[in-house]
Amino acid sequence: MSDKAMEVTLAAARASSVLNAVSDLIWTAIDVYPSLKEKLQSLAGEINKAKHVVDLIRSQKGLQTSGVVAGIRMLESHGKILESDLMSLGKNKDGNSLKTIGEKLKEARKSLIQYIRLASVGLAKDDLAITVDTKVVKSTDEAVKKILGKELGLDIALFLARLKRNPDAKGKIRLTEKDYEYWTRHQTEIAHPESTTLSTEVKTRIVVNCLARDQSIQILGAVGVDLWASIAFIKIEGLVSMNEAIQIAVPITLDVFQKVLDTQSQRIAASRPKG
């Protein structure tokens, strides 16, 4: 199994485990808090939809891209927050908090669906050629539509249909550099529509759907020199830091970077068993 396949398998397994645990907690909570039955049943429906999306990704190798993996992890993180809220019902949490995290979970699921639809399924690029395997696109598109609905198929399938180009004997369509640039631009425009108003000459930086966990340090900005100073468009959203992780998405000085390293080193040292 490749590193990418292993990464997807682990991410999907973790997300499924969390979603299953949340589903069980919801039905228990319905019995304990009948006044929250309507809100809890709505959450159960959302969890079930999320589980179907994760199962789809696990079954379709063509969907297992870096963006999709990030989306799965984001879904898992919101699921863990919901799990914590359910465990705290009647203590310091009420129905309003459930509604809020339920909405975030729904947004995470929709974001994951967008990653699925924009995945470069069947596309291969090397120094010799850029090709798309139409057989892989067709089978994956059919699987996606079966789970998500006919109106939510793969964008790359529509892209190929517009090209009106016949595949070769192996079922592959060769793309020109112009075709490829169009496809990648389409992916960016759909995922980040704000960028469409910008000139192609300006510098942009998009940092979305990043997850830091455990005792990791995730630096998403420049260190030492502010390389973002001349960037005209910056988008930062959907960042989640869990456990004792440190996540930084802005340019920082070397002094701040050193303090972050020292802080995390002290945390790790303090967590080690003594003796």
Side-chain angles (χ1 to χ4, degrees):
M1 184 180 288
S2 67
D3 290 344
K4 173 58 68 177
M6 179 63 74
E7 184 181 13
V8 173
T9 299
L10 290 174
R14 287 170 178 162
S16 293
S17 177
V18 170
L19 294 173
N20 285 330
V22 169
S23 183
D24 291 341
L25 280 173
I26 287 174
W27 294 111
T28 300
I30 288 175
D31 293 334
V32 178
Y33 304 101
S35 62
L36 296 176
K37 182 176 180 179
E38 188 175 339
K39 289 181 179 179
L40 289 167
Q41 285 181 330
S42 176
L43 279 176
E46 185 55 46
I47 290 294
N48 195 46
K49 290 177 182 178
K51 287 163 65 176
H52 285 317
V53 176
V54 174
D55 288 343
L56 169 66
I57 295 165
R58 295 175 79 169
S59 69
Q60 298 298 317
K61 186 177 179 181
L63 299 178
Q64 297 170 4
T65 65
S66 297
V68 169
V69 171
I72 292 176
R73 288 175 174 162
M74 193 60 57
L75 198 64
E76 176 200 352
S77 69
H78 288 307
K80 284 190 173 182
I81 296 171
L82 179 54
E83 183 179 20
S84 177
D85 283 0
L86 287 166
M87 295 291 287
S88 302
L89 273 179
K91 299 174 184 177
N92 57 345
K93 296 291 182 180
D94 56 24
N96 291 328
S97 66
L98 292 180
K99 182 179 179 182
T100 299
I101 189 59
E103 289 172 350
K104 289 183 178 179
L105 188 70
K106 184 176 182 178
E107 289 173 6
R109 177 178 62 82
K110 287 186 174 181
S111 177
L112 181 53
I113 287 174
Q114 185 177 76
Y115 277 120
I116 288 172
R117 298 192 67 202
L118 292 174
S120 296
V121 176
L123 191 148
K125 184 176 186 292
D126 57 33
D127 294 337
L128 298 177
I130 308 169
T131 60
V132 180
D133 190 326
T134 60
K135 294 178 181 177
V136 173
V137 172
K138 182 180 179 181
S139 62
T140 308
D141 188 45
E142 289 173 351
V144 168
K145 287 178 178 178
K146 184 176 180 180
I147 298 298
L148 303 182
K150 291 184 178 180
E151 73 283 1
L152 295 176
L154 296 175
D155 275 26
I156 196 166
L158 298 175
F159 167 67
L160 293 179
R162 285 194 293 268
L163 282 181
K164 296 180 179 179
R165 204 169 293 165
N166 293 325
D168 61 20
K170 294 181 179 180
K172 296 183 178 182
I173 289 178
R174 184 181 290 261
L175 301 184
T176 65
E177 283 291 343
K178 187 176 180 180
D179 294 332
Y180 181 71
E181 287 174 8
Y182 177 89
W183 168 245
T184 55
R185 187 168 64 251
H186 169 77
Q187 288 176 305
T188 302
E189 288 174 353
I190 296 299
H192 312 291
E194 308 95 322
S195 64
T196 59
T197 61
L198 301 172
S199 165
T200 55
E201 284 98 29
V202 303
K203 295 179 181 179
T204 62
R205 178 72 65 210
I206 299 173
V207 183
V208 298
N209 295 338
C210 298
L211 172 65
R213 66 166 78 228
D214 303 321
Q215 293 176 318
S216 64
I217 299 175
Q218 188 178 68
I219 307 295
L220 302 169
V223 176
V225 178
D226 186 0
L227 300 176
W228 292 14
S230 61
I231 293 177
F233 174 78
I234 298 175
K235 178 179 180 179
I236 302 174
E237 68 176 31
L239 307 188
V240 174
S241 178
M242 301 176 66
N243 310 117
E244 295 183 333
I246 296 176
Q247 186 181 59
I248 300 174
V250 294
I252 57 175
T253 64
L254 287 172
D255 286 343
V256 171
F257 179 63
Q258 188 59 56
K259 287 179 181 177
V260 169
L261 292 178
D262 292 342
T263 298
Q264 200 65 320
S265 294
Q266 291 169 11
R267 281 182 177 175
I268 294 171
S271 67
R272 288 183 181 138
K274 293 185 171 67

